[in-house]
Amino acid sequence: MKRDMRKWLEELQAAPVKKAMPVLSFPAVQLLGISVKELISDSDRQAEGMRLVAQRTDAAAAVSLMDLSVEAECFGSAIRVSDREVPTVVGRIVEDEEGAKALEVPRVGSARSGLYVEAIMKAVELIDDRPVFAGAIGPFSLAARLLDVTEIMMECYDEPDMVHMVMEKATSFLTEYCKAYREAGANGIVLAEPVTGLLSPALAEEFSAPYVKRLVDAVQDDSFVIIYHNCGNNTIQMIDSILDTGAAAYHFGNAIDMAQMLARIPAGTVAMGNVDPAGEFCHGTPESIRRATLQVMENCCPYPNFVISSGCDIPPMSKWENIDAFFGAVQEYYECRSAQGVSR
């Protein structure tokens, strides 16, 4: 359903009680009783999984699979698939400048990209009470999968022209991919750029921010917004270039102090984070995630533009009792604050 997403963000920020917006999709496998391998191969199951998650939780929006192997697979990368883990990219497909020149930009619809766009088209028919976001990888993080994450860190210094060449092609594909999601009815994209968080601020400004900005400028409008995600531990130091991307909202991981980050975010810009997805959602207990969630909210809710979330994509086998406890803690925080306000 088409929405005024700028207004949605404004209302989300202005609300005295803000709904949580975790990056919650893969744990749908437990609700569906299927494997991750089955989920990533079936658009009907993806859409139904999103519906079941929306039915069970009072999240601010529905978010589709954050499967960061899809786009690299379109370029020809091999992926490793399992029944219980998110797919991963295996090896590199660009070895040198000649390989970068020869790299072909795939069409949207190749490999599993068409299936994922189709899943969003079906999901927006099933979910009409909240925005529906698709998931996509960011340009530098895609290039890192094509060149290898370790190798690209060195090649930013040793072979910058080659890296830029791959970045151009990655950005070209991702722009068309995001446009396809927009045409399918998505209200926006959660754009994951985690590998950028490993860079120095100077390298992030050169190799990530301009390409993300190009994508944002090409696809973002009042009805379709980009939420930029980066779970690296250097994000506070590189926040100026991150904000230069022009994304409508920002999402950060638990490697940083979220309150310190919020001090650097403009007051009118929504920023989300950052309860530990692995340590708490997956391996914690209902009580430990309750404490962690309340602590993040205590530290960060004094900033009106803060929205509580997971620090990154919640792993497939995360316990639903922990996920439920997260939402319970959010409700508890606001109820407690309301009671304290009445008592004063």
Side-chain angles (χ1 to χ4, degrees), residues 216-275:
V216 169
D217 289 346
V219 303
Q220 185 167 264
D221 57 28
D222 288 345
S223 64
F224 188 85
V225 296
I226 302 295
I227 298 177
Y228 173 99
H229 165 77
N230 188 328
C231 52
N233 58 1
N234 288 332
T235 48
I236 294 177
Q237 294 93 319
M238 62 180 64
I239 188 57
D240 290 343
S241 68
I242 289 174
L243 293 172
D244 284 344
T245 65
Y250 298 87
H251 190 282
F252 298 103
N254 54 288
I256 63 163
D257 183 319
M258 191 69 200
Q260 289 184 17
M261 175 61 85
L262 284 160
R264 303 286 300 275
I265 303 290
T269 300
V270 170
M272 307 175 183
N274 75 340
V275 178

Side-chain angles (χ1 to χ4, degrees), residues 275 280-281 285-294 322 325-326 329:
V275 178
E280 293 297 344
F281 282 94
T285 65
E287 179 55 30
S288 73
I289 197 170
R290 171 186 170 272
R291 290 195 304 268
T293 302
L294 291 174
N322 291 349
F326 165 79

Side-chain angles (χ1 to χ4, degrees), residues 1-5 8 21-22 24-25 43 46-55 59-66 116-136 178 180-191 223-227:
M1 183 173 74
K2 193 168 185 178
R3 301 171 182 266
D4 184 335
M5 292 302 293
W8 176 77
M21 192 177 157
L24 173 59
S25 57
S43 63
Q46 289 180 29
E48 176 63 10
M50 292 178 68
R51 187 191 71 80
L52 290 174
V53 170
Q55 183 181 66
V63 182
S64 74
L65 301 186
M66 292 302 293
Y116 276 50
V117 172
E118 187 178 80
I120 286 293
M121 189 179 301
K122 295 173 179 178
V124 297
E125 294 296 321
L126 299 174
I127 303 167
D128 61 6
D129 64 340
R130 68 197 76 183
V132 173
F133 282 84
C178 291
Y181 275 129
R182 186 175 63 186
E183 289 299 313
N187 301 113
I189 298 285
V190 178
L191 189 75
S223 64
F224 188 85
V225 296
I226 302 295
I227 298 177

Side-chain angles (χ1 to χ4, degrees), residues 94-233:
V94 179
E95 300 278 350
D96 50 30
E97 188 170 347
E98 288 304 310
K101 290 178 180 176
L103 185 68
E104 294 186 5
V105 178
R107 64 175 181 82
V108 175
S110 60
R112 287 176 296 131
S113 62
L115 184 151
Y116 276 50
V117 172
E118 187 178 80
I120 286 293
M121 189 179 301
K122 295 173 179 178
V124 297
E125 294 296 321
L126 299 174
I127 303 167
D128 61 6
D129 64 340
R130 68 197 76 183
V132 173
F133 282 84
I137 197 169
F140 186 78
S141 297
L142 174 53
R145 281 158 175 77
L146 303 179
L147 284 159
D148 181 80
V149 173
T150 301
E151 294 296 327
I152 199 172
M153 297 300 166
M154 295 181 288
E155 287 162 350
C156 284
Y157 293 103
D158 299 335
E159 300 286 347
D161 291 343
M162 180 185 72
V163 176
H164 280 297
M165 192 181 305
V166 176
M167 291 294 302
E168 290 284 346
K169 295 182 179 184
T171 306
S172 177
F173 172 75
L174 290 173
T175 299
E176 296 306 312
Y177 190 37
C178 291
K179 287 179 180 178
Y181 275 129
R182 186 175 63 186
E183 289 299 313
N187 301 113
I189 298 285
V190 178
L191 189 75
E193 189 70 312
V195 184
T196 297
L198 304 175
L199 296 172
S200 69
L203 288 179
E205 185 174 0
E206 178 181 356
F207 288 101
S208 177
Y211 295 98
V212 174
K213 178 173 174 51
R214 188 185 308 175
L215 188 156
V216 169
D217 289 346
V219 303
Q220 185 167 264
D221 57 28
D222 288 345
S223 64
F224 188 85
V225 296
I226 302 295
I227 298 177
Y228 173 99
H229 165 77
N230 188 328
C231 52
N233 58 1

